[in-house]
């Protein structure tokens, strides 16, 4: 892993603009908390020679494994506390006939995960303790993003056509074997991204051409809330682990923070100069990482919206994800081709301390 950012590979990144000071009672000091010293850390970048990008990274529920997909049919899983070198990754293959796009870990078991591919139209389930997949589901549509329910017995996914579908885990009819099967919900609901709430009795949906966030009951799918969020489309959401806030990001480069008890926007973060790609809260909910179409990741304080640090990245990242119990996050992407420069490479990066 290289801890140095090659200045020739990164674009000029504008420094963070500091907003006015927040109310004193919301600061870390007033709440008796020690603020993390993020500027003391540097990104650790793993470059993988590939003409394609790493499109998604995800931590296992215990934080011991980090998985990355995107450059081929293989899912690569590292144990970051041991090594993040390319040769240290465990490879999982044979489940897909084309490039893997997305990976989700089961929130109840650190060995179970699923992968999806838009090109081969499959969702494949795996157990990290064995090399062969445990189940393969072939679909008629292209799955884009997958998310487990909190109990690990339902899976929600969106398609390339911006439709919403469900898989459930159990016995189908008189079948003796317990496995995943496609729900009878017909995909009539439109969504670009979808996730469960922390309890599992609701889902949160966004659509790239809608300005609002939709919150629906599960499994009835009755609309519960639909707060206006963004001009030009909402493309990313994240739930505060404490259950206080929902963060949303859009093409307008703004991040809104909604109070979940009243469903009102309590603060707006406007530090980014680019459209938002992904959002992620730290394990304690105190920090929000913002990935966007620029070559940087912003870290902001949740309770104040104050920008704390801008992390230079080798490339724009389609995703960012905090470790489930440490102040470390992972992100990924692909470097750009520059005239006279080296060929593009796929990148997985870690930022923060503790690993």
């Amino acid at each position: 892993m290289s801890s140095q950012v090659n200045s020739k590979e990164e674009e000029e990144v504008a420094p963070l603009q500091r907003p006015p000071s927040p109310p004193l009672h919301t600061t870390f000091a007033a709440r008796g908390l020690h603020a993390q010293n993020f500027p003391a850390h540097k990104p650790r970048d793993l470059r993988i020679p590939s003409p394609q990008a790493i499109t998604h990274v995800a931590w296992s529920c215990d934080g011991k494994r980090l998985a990355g997909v995107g450059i081929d049919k293989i899912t690569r899983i590292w144990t970051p506390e041991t090594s993040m070198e390319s040769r240290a990754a465990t490879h999982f293959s044979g489940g897909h006939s084309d490039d893997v796009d997305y990976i989700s870990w089961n929130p109840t078991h650190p060995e179970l995960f699923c992968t999806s591919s838009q090109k081969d139209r499959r969702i494949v389930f795996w157990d990290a303790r064995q090399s062969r997949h445990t189940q393969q589901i072939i679909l008629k549509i292209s799955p884009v993003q997958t998310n487990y329910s909190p109990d690990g017995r339902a899976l929600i996914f969106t398609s390339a056509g911006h439709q919403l579908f469900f898989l459930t885990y159990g016995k189908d009819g008189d079948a003796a074997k317990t496995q995943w099967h496609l729900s009878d919900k017909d995909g009539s609901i439109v969504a670009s991204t979808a996730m469960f709430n922390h309890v599992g009795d609701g889902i949160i949906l966004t659509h790239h051409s809608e300005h609002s966030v939709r919150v629906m009951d599960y499994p009835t799918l009755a609309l519960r809330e639909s707060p206006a969020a963004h001009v030009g489309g909402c493309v990313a959401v994240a739930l505060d682990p404490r259950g206080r806030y929902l963060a949303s990001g859009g093409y307008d480069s703004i991040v809104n923070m909604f109070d979940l008890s009243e469903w009102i926007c309590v603060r707006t973060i406007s530090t980014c100069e680019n459209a938002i790609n992904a959002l992620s809260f730290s394990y304690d909910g105190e920090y929000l990482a913002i990935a966007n179409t620029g070559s940087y990741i912003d870290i902001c304080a949740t309770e104040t919206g104050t920008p704390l640090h801008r992390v230079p990245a080798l490339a724009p990242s389609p995703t960012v994800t905090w470790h489930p119990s440490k102040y470390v996050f992972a992100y990924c992407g692909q470097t750009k081709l520059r005239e006279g420069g080296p060929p593009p490479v796929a990148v997985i990066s870690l930022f923060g301390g503790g690993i």
Side-chain angles (χ1 to χ4, degrees):
M1 295 278 286
S2 170
S3 61
Q4 300 296 322
V5 176
N6 189 330
S7 60
K8 294 182 180 180
E9 290 186 1
E10 68 167 350
E11 295 179 343
E12 189 69 26
V13 175
L16 275 173
Q17 298 299 314
R18 299 287 177 179
S21 298
L24 181 61
H25 70 275
T26 64
T27 62
F28 288 109
R31 292 185 295 126
L33 299 175
H34 174 70
Q36 294 297 303
N37 184 18
F38 292 112
H41 302 288
K42 292 183 178 180
R44 289 167 285 165
D45 306 307
L46 168 64
R47 297 170 174 85
I48 303 174
S50 172
Q52 298 181 176
I54 294 287
T55 56
H56 194 233
V57 289
W59 297 96
S60 59
C61 63
D62 61 359
K64 292 182 178 180
R65 293 182 175 91
L66 178 68
V69 297
I71 59 177
D72 51 25
K73 307 171 189 177
I74 299 171
T75 299
R76 292 166 173 82
I77 296 182
W78 287 266
T79 304
E81 291 186 352
T82 303
S83 175
M84 277 295 293
E85 298 294 333
S86 292
R87 62 178 180 271
T90 302
H91 290 189
F92 293 85
S93 60
H96 291 278
S97 61
D98 218 315
D99 298 338
V100 184
D101 303 312
Y102 205 88
I103 177 168
S104 294
W105 289 91
N106 190 309
T108 68
H109 200 299
E111 310 284 355
L112 304 180
F113 63 95
C114 74
T115 55
S116 63
S117 169
Q118 295 183 54
K119 292 182 179 180
D120 71 8
R121 296 185 173 186
R122 296 178 187 176
I123 295 178
V124 181
F125 293 88
W126 306 81
D127 186 326
R129 294 165 294 189
Q130 61 189 58
S131 59
R132 181 172 171 77
H133 58 273
T134 58
Q135 189 179 349
Q136 182 185 77
I137 295 180
I138 300 176
L139 305 166
K140 295 180 180 179
I141 48 89
S142 298
V144 174
Q145 184 194 77
T146 59
N147 272 292
Y148 280 94
S149 62
D151 63 2
R153 300 187 68 85
L155 188 81
I156 190 171
F157 68 95
T158 53
S159 72
H162 306 288
Q163 295 171 286
L164 183 67
F165 295 92
F166 299 85
L167 294 174
T168 53
Y169 188 71
K171 293 183 179 180
D172 190 9
D174 297 330
K177 187 176 181 180
T178 303
Q179 59 183 0
W180 291 95
H181 56 273
L182 194 62
S183 169
D184 57 3
K185 294 178 174 61
D186 61 4
S188 60
I189 296 174
V190 296
S192 299
T193 70
M195 66 180 295
F196 282 93
N197 65 4
H198 293 324
V199 181
D201 62 357
I203 55 175
I204 301 162
L205 309 176
T206 72
H207 191 277
H208 69 100
S209 64
E210 293 181 0
H211 69 279
S212 60
V213 177
R214 280 173 292 147
V215 182
M216 308 179 81
D217 287 323
Y218 179 82
T220 64
L221 302 184
L223 184 65
R224 185 189 301 173
E225 304 284 348
S226 184
H230 298 277
V231 176
C234 182
V235 293
V237 289
L239 271 176
D240 171 11
R242 301 168 297 184
R244 296 180 186 174
Y245 304 110
L246 171 74
S248 69
Y251 290 130
D252 54 10
S253 78
I254 289 174
V255 174
N256 288 320
M257 202 80 71
F258 291 91
D259 183 315
L260 292 182
S261 61
E262 299 180 2
W263 285 105
I264 59 173
C265 182
V266 293
R267 67 187 60 89
T268 296
I269 300 172
S270 56
T271 59
C272 286
E273 292 85 26
N274 305 85
I276 307 302
N277 281 342
L279 303 167
S280 180
F281 282 99
S282 60
Y283 72 92
D284 57 359
E286 290 291 344
Y287 304 99
L288 180 70
I290 307 170
N292 57 86
T293 56
S295 296
Y296 58 90
I297 306 288
D298 279 344
I299 305 174
C300 296
T302 300
E303 293 294 342
T304 63
T306 303
L308 301 175
H309 186 56
R310 174 161 287 180
V311 182
L314 295 181
S317 179
T319 188
V320 61
T321 176
W322 283 93
H323 187 280
S325 61
K326 297 179 180 180
Y327 293 120
V328 179
F329 60 75
Y331 51 103
C332 60
Q334 183 188 36
T335 59
K336 295 180 180 179
L337 177 63
R338 286 178 169 79
E339 186 176 352
V345 294
V347 179
I348 292 182
S349 300
L350 293 178
F351 179 84
I355 292 181

